[in-house]
Structures are given as structure tokens and as C-alpha cells.
Amino acid sequence: MRNFLSRSKVVKKPNVPQYNPNPQTIGEHIRKKRIEGKLSQKAVADQLEVEENTITGWELERSQPLMKHYPAIIRFLGYYPFDHETDSLAGKLKHLRHCHGLSFKECARRLSISVDAAMRWERGKPVAYPSTRKLIIDLWQQLPSNLLQHPV
């Protein structure tokens, strides 16, 4: 009887990236930046002022960051990671809320409008007040250039 185990073949482990090179989710963006920067999850957690297991949850898509964490995440990444249109007022308003970490309530307070109006406008309903429309556009244009576009 012949022993089939007498020979073994050594196979190299395939070189699989530890992250998605074209991140789609906020967790994938964080993971890519962290690995490329040779940072631990603990180091990123310290920068973002969250717990290490929070970073793990975001990277594994077990949870999503709260709006209040978005400004720190955007600073860490160095770019705006969300891929939504910004040609419309609704897109600009959403972009502003993300960059400043504003809830609808806080956004409405700062714009001196109702929470309902802020929510309707972000969903694409027409803005009734020309002065508020101008304010949103002006605020959006004041964002740093690296935050105005999604990376290619």
C-alpha cells in the first residue's frame, strides 16, 4: 500500500489585501486609512475619542458611527467619504450636516427653521425661504476643498 502523505506541497498564501481598495462604506474607509497608515485600532480610537471596540464594530459593519462622530472621522480620513450628489440643495444640506456632525434638530436650530423643514429639505422638498437657501449654499461653499468631493 502506498502512503499518499509522504509528499507535501508548499503553497504560498495568496496576497489578499486586508482592506477593500475601493471602500464603499464608512467602516471600509476607516479600515483602509488605518491599515495604510500602519495604525492600530486603539490608535484610531484614541484619535476619534471612542473605544477600540467601536472602531472594530465600524470596520466590520456591525454598527455605524453616530452623526456626532462624523467630523472627527472626516478629519482622520482627510476627505469626505460619503458618495451622494451635492448639486441640489438637499445634497448640500446633507453634506453640511455630516461635516459638522449635526442632528436635524441642531441643524434646524442653527438655520432658524423647524426640524420638520430641515428633514423635508434634505429629502428634496423645495426650500421656501430664499435667505435660507442662500445661507446653505454659502456655508457649503465655505467648506475646505478636500471636503467638497468624494475621492475618485
Side-chain angles (χ1 to χ4, degrees):
M1 187 166 173
R2 188 170 177 200
N3 184 352
F4 288 101
L5 300 177
S6 62
R7 291 187 174 187
S8 62
K9 183 177 180 180
V10 176
V11 179
K12 283 181 142 182
K13 184 177 178 181
N15 188 9
V16 179
Q18 298 176 357
Y19 59 86
N20 181 349
N22 300 307
Q24 303 299 308
T25 66
I26 192 76
E28 288 176 344
H29 281 280
I30 293 168
R31 182 173 179 81
K32 180 179 183 221
K33 177 75 171 188
R34 180 180 65 78
I35 291 172
E36 286 179 347
K38 297 181 169 93
L39 299 169
S40 67
Q41 288 182 330
K42 174 74 172 124
V44 174
D46 290 345
Q47 282 187 39
L48 301 181
E49 298 181 353
V50 296
E51 297 294 322
E52 184 177 356
N53 63 356
T54 301
I55 300 299
T56 303
W58 293 346
E59 288 185 1
L60 297 176
E61 303 299 322
R62 292 182 185 153
S63 61
Q64 294 296 310
L66 297 174
M67 184 67 77
K68 69 180 183 177
H69 297 297
Y70 284 4
I73 291 169
I74 292 167
R75 277 191 306 277
F76 168 71
L77 295 173
Y79 60 86
Y80 185 76
F82 303 100
D83 190 19
H84 62 84
E85 63 80 27
T86 54
D87 294 333
S88 71
L89 194 68
K92 285 176 176 46
L93 183 59
K94 185 175 191 174
H95 198 113
L96 282 168
R97 283 195 332 104
H98 287 168
C99 287
H100 294 287
L102 301 176
S103 65
F104 279 111
K105 183 177 180 179
E106 181 59 20
C107 178
R109 187 189 68 73
R110 290 184 183 195
L111 293 173
S112 300
I113 59 174
S114 70
V115 174
D116 184 54
M119 293 172 80
R120 282 194 326 266
W121 295 352
E122 193 170 300
R123 285 188 303 236
K125 302 294 182 197
V127 176
Y129 313 115
S131 60
T132 306
R133 173 185 294 274
K134 183 179 179 336
L135 176 61
I136 292 169
I137 292 169
D138 289 347
L139 290 171
W140 186 78
Q141 290 173 337
Q142 291 173 22
L143 289 172
S145 61
N146 66 316
L147 300 185
L148 291 178
Q149 298 178 23
H150 184 76
V152 179

